[in-house]
């Protein structure tokens, strides 16, 4: 409470050892709850979740209802600070009800204060202010001076949002003085920071700057707040024309925000946490671009990209507690039942499934943080990109024949970084309605666009007009000049660009797939990590296909032929599971036994689905059941190539902070080295031959991206020579390789 965090940590550690030695269950539960609060203050959200959930289970077993209520209250805090404000409000309200039933007035007022904060975050300002006023009065009447002062500071923030600036200034000052008198220096500094931002938003940066400078040292050990102070210092410095100082503060703030995300292993939570720092990210990128410091721009972008996937690869989250896995399975069945309920109209179905998925996400968050997290000192943020080392890794594989194209969005500007062996260049293009519409059409109208419907129908005078236009907007001239058929082009997309069929972009008179070997990469730090891991030395393949399904889903009659053709060209031994043998249970058992780690190839030919609005429900369908996205991520692969020969296998839902929900990324999280998948459904008439040709090329090259390029180029040549309708871009352009070589 007094800000002596290092002393507190030492005492907590001593107490934990003592309570463990003497087997004191109540003390252990109390300590877990206290250490959960301590972890929250330190911005260690994973540790806070683990400790609080553990304490809640311990108190429930001990029958200590009052302590359970306090855990429910505390559990709302990680949700609040990570941006799940509605879920936080629900926990605060439940804790308030429990406290009222137990006649615990002090805790009840704290719950109400926290609920008011959640209302404020959900933009219910008048309701929040009314609740805060009632809490302050009740706290003063009960002699709880600290709670009353903290609530007064909360009221100042709401008043500022309502435009009542003089009242806000007065309340900030009163709260600050009272909290200093109570030795609550942390809270005083926190509200001073809020006051600084209130001044900054109304254009008074000269008054805000000294406030930020004064509180920065006091809040250095509180990263959840300190990043906002660093951001405030950056904005003030930039407004004063001190660009170098501004960029230094932006860099520090971005690193702090990235570190806060680094312990979270759920994309939705990482994304909502990033959303609070989205303005920081956009301003930092813009400032670096204006300063011409492209390396800093690259680092700032990279550290906020694919944070959850990076943590999966770096630390491999432990298995969840059995009771949480059981609850997840029950929730999955409920969601599947809602999807199958024909009595629901479309609007109701979307709403109830959305609510059920929100509950599922909370359970999944608990599952991924129920085991003890990686120690804070061992966490690695994706900020750890070593650019000279990355260049060396790329040069050792491709010599000078490589280029990286990295895309980042800063509000209404698309930044395109081109990294080569000796240069780092920046191009910019407007992220406007025209570009958004082209991307939408290329994704949603793929049959029309990739058969050149606009030209054939007389709507354009240039063949493949939209694909030419996208190539002109997205492939900078400097990159185009470097291209040749052997050139490796690594593409790091963002936002809607994850859905682009890059190989089908027109560059000059040809397809991009003809002019480079294309490979998509979630983040450069992830490519670097995957590239340094040894490739699988096994030659064993697991070929898994479902042409029939126990639950009566539409049959896939070409699956048998596809598996036959893959088996005929795969150079090593293989195990074939088809139809009734291709079960979710069997795949999970193979993973648990460790046998899946010995497979160099996992070929999946079946149904798959990803609906962007409900992307957490993405799955592959096996004979007995669906395997959901989160379950795929827990498989234990050993650097295999995974081929998803299914509809929408490469489909993706992009969340703020470049967190992506996709089957391809889930298999990378599970330990795949690379994933071949398709952006849209492929005809049964071509899939078997395509896969046979791909694996033939793979046997020759040993490189999935190179094998895909050769397969696509052979089809392009056939289209150019005889205009075979089964060789149009619609057939070959949807396939992408994601990952490392």
């Amino acid at each position: 409470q007094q800000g002596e965090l290092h002393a507190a940590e030492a005492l907590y550690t001593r107490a934990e050892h003592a309570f463990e030695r003497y087997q004191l269950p109540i003390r252990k539960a109390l300590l877990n709850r206290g250490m959960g609060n301590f972890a929250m203050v330190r911005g260690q959200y994973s540790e806070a979740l683990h400790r609080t959930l553990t304490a809640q289970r311990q108190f429930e077993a001990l029958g200590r209802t009052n302590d359970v209520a306090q855990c429910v209250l505390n559990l709302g805090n990680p949700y609040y600070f990570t941006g799940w404000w509605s879920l936080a409000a629900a926990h605060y309200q439940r804790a308030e009800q429990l406290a009222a039933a137990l006649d615990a007035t002090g805790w009840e007022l704290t719950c109400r204060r926290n609920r008011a904060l959640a209302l404020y975050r959900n933009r219910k300002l008048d309701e929040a202010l009314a609740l805060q006023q009632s809490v302050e009065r009740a706290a003063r009447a009960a002699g709880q001076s600290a709670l009353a002062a903290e609530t007064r500071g909360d009221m100042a923030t709401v008043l500022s949002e309502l435009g009542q600036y003089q009242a806000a200034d007065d309340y900030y000052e009163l709260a600050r003085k009272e909290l200093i008198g109570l030795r609550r220096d942390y809270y005083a500094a926190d509200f001073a920071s809020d006051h600084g931002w209130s001044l900054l938003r109304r254009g008074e940066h000269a008054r805000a700057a000294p406030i930020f400078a004064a509180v920065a040292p006091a809040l250095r050990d509180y990263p959840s707040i300190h990043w906002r102070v660093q951001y405030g210092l950056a904005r003030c410095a930039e407004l004063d024309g001190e660009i170098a100082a501004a960029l230094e503060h932006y860099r520090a703030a971005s690193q702090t925000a990235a570190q806060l995300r680094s312990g979270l292993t759920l994309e939705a939570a990482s994304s909502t946490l990033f959303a609070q720092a989205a303005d920081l990210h956009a301003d930092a990128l813009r400032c670096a671009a204006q300063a011409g410091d492209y390396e800093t721009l690259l680092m700032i972008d990279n550290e906020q990209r694919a944070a959850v996937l990076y943590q999966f690869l770096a630390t491999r989250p432990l298995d969840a507690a059995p009771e949480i896995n059981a609850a997840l399975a029950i929730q999955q069945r409920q969601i599947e039942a809602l999807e199958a309920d024909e009595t629901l109209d479309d609007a109701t179905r979307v709403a109830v499934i959305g609510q059920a998925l929100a509950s599922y996400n909370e359970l999944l968050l608990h599952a991924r943080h129920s085991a003890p997290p990686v120690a804070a000192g061992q966490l690695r943020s994706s900020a750890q990109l070593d650019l000279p080392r990355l260049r060396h890794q790329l040069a050792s594989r491709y010599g000078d024949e490589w280029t990286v194209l990295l895309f980042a969005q800063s509000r209404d500007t698309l930044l395109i970084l081109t990294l080569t062996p000796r240069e780092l260049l920046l191009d910019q293009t407007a992220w406007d309605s025209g570009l958004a519409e082209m991307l939408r059409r290329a994704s949603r109208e793929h049959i029309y666009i990739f058969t050149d419907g606009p030209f054939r129908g007389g709507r354009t005078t240039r063949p493949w007009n939209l694909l030419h236009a996208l190539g002109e907007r997205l492939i900078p001239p400097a990159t185009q000049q470097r291209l040749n058929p052997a050139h490796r082009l690594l593409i790091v997309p963002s936002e809607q660009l994850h859905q682009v069929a890059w190989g089908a972009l027109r560059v000059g008179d040809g397809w991009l797939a003809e002019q480079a070997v294309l490979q998509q990469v979630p983040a450069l730090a992830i490519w670097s990590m995957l590239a340094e891991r040894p490739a699988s030395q096994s030659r064993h393949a697991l070929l898994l296909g479902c042409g029939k399904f126990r639950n009566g889903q539409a049959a896939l009659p070409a699956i048998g032929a596809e598996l036959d053709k893959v088996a005929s060209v795969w150079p090593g031994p293989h195990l074939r599971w088809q139809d009734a043998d291709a079960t979710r249970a069997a795949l999970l058992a193979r993973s648990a036994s460790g046998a899946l780690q010995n497979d160099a190839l996992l070929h999946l030919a079946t149904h798959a689905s990803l609906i962007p609005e409900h992307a957490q429900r993405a799955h592959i369908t096996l004979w007995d059941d669906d395997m959901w996205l989160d379950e795929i991520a827990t498989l234990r692969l050993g650097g295999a190539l995974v081929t998803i020969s299914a509809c929408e296998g490469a489909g993706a839902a992009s969340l703020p902070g470049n967190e992506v929900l996709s089957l391809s990324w889930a298999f990378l999280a599970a330990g795949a080295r690379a994933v071949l998948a398709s952006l849209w459904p492929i005809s049964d008439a071509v899939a078997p031959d395509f896969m046979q040709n791909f694996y033939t090329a793979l046997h020759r090259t040993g490189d999935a991206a190179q094998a895909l390029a050769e397969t696509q180029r052979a089809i392009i040549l056939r289209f150019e020579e005889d205009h075979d309708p089964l060789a149009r871009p619609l057939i070959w352009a949807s396939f992408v390789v994601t990952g490392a070589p």
Side-chain angles (χ1 to χ4, degrees), residues 47 62 160 182 189 231 236 287 319 343 372 420 427 431 564 645 658:
E47 174 77 8
L62 292 165
S160 177
L182 293 167
Y231 181 22
C236 291
C287 183
D319 293 333
T343 67
T420 73
D427 290 87
W431 187 277
D564 287 342
S645 181
N658 277 300

Side-chain angles (χ1 to χ4, degrees), residues 321-337 360 363-364 367 584 625 628 630-631:
E323 63 270 20
I324 297 181
N325 280 332
L328 278 171
I330 292 171
Q331 190 69 14
Q332 286 177 346
R333 300 291 84 80
Q334 290 176 347
I335 292 169
E336 290 168 356
Y360 177 78
L363 278 173
L364 190 56
R584 168 180 168 273
D625 208 348
W628 285 38
D630 65 278
E631 202 164 37

Side-chain angles (χ1 to χ4, degrees), residues 450-691:
F450 290 92
T451 57
D452 207 13
F455 178 72
R456 291 185 296 105
R459 299 177 67 88
T460 64
T461 58
R462 178 171 63 167
W464 311 108
N465 185 63
L466 186 142
L467 300 177
H468 273 287
L470 281 174
E472 291 159 3
R473 290 287 292 272
L474 299 178
I475 311 298
T479 301
Q480 295 184 27
Q481 293 171 9
R482 292 180 55 79
L483 299 180
N484 65 70
H487 195 80
R488 183 68 54 134
L489 182 59
L490 278 70
I491 298 173
V492 189
S494 67
E495 307 291 339
Q496 291 168 266
L497 301 182
H498 286 283
Q499 293 298 94
V500 171
W502 292 94
L505 299 190
R506 297 290 291 180
V507 177
D509 295 327
W511 306 103
L512 186 56
E514 296 178 287
Q515 302 178 52
V517 177
L518 306 179
Q519 190 171 333
Q520 287 197 31
V521 181
L524 289 179
I526 288 174
W527 187 93
S528 180
M529 183 188 299
L530 291 173
E532 73 180 8
R533 294 182 175 180
S536 174
Q537 298 303 305
S538 169
R539 293 166 63 87
H540 190 273
L542 174 59
L543 311 183
L544 188 154
C546 286
K548 301 175 183 177
F549 303 88
R550 187 174 67 182
N551 63 4
Q553 284 206 39
L556 297 171
I559 293 298
E562 179 175 328
L563 296 185
D564 287 342
K565 293 198 172 188
V566 173
S568 71
V569 295
W570 180 254
H574 70 272
L575 180 63
R576 176 169 174 158
W577 291 351
Q578 187 172 345
D579 295 340
D581 293 326
T583 65
R584 168 180 168 273
L587 188 56
L588 290 174
R590 186 170 180 82
S591 175
S593 72
L596 198 60
Q597 291 185 318
N598 296 321
D599 293 326
L601 169 68
L602 173 59
H603 182 96
L604 297 156
T606 183
H607 285 302
S609 175
L610 185 145
I611 300 172
E613 295 78 11
H614 295 156
Q616 199 67 60
R617 170 67 176 100
H619 62 274
I620 57 172
T621 300
L622 301 175
W623 166 264
D624 57 338
D625 208 348
D626 292 342
M627 181 173 280
W628 285 38
L629 199 67
D630 65 278
E631 202 164 37
I632 291 170
T634 64
L635 294 174
R636 298 187 179 277
L637 296 166
L641 167 66
V642 174
T643 296
I644 310 172
S645 181
C647 303
E648 301 168 339
S654 182
L655 307 178
N658 277 300
E659 296 290 6
V660 170
L661 296 173
S662 80
L663 295 170
S664 293
W665 282 37
F667 277 108
L668 289 176
R673 188 176 182 84
V675 181
L676 170 69
S678 175
L679 291 165
W680 56 73
I682 298 301
S683 167
D684 285 350
V686 298
D689 287 339
F690 187 97
M691 290 301 167

Side-chain angles (χ1 to χ4, degrees), residues 6 14 37 39 55 83 157 223 227 232 310 336-337 368 374 407 417 427 431 570 601 609 659:
H6 297 293
R14 287 178 59 192
N37 283 335
T157 300
W227 74 263
Y310 189 91
E336 290 168 356
R368 292 188 178 177
V374 175
F407 297 86
L417 280 170
D427 290 87
W431 187 277
W570 180 254
L601 169 68
S609 175
E659 296 290 6

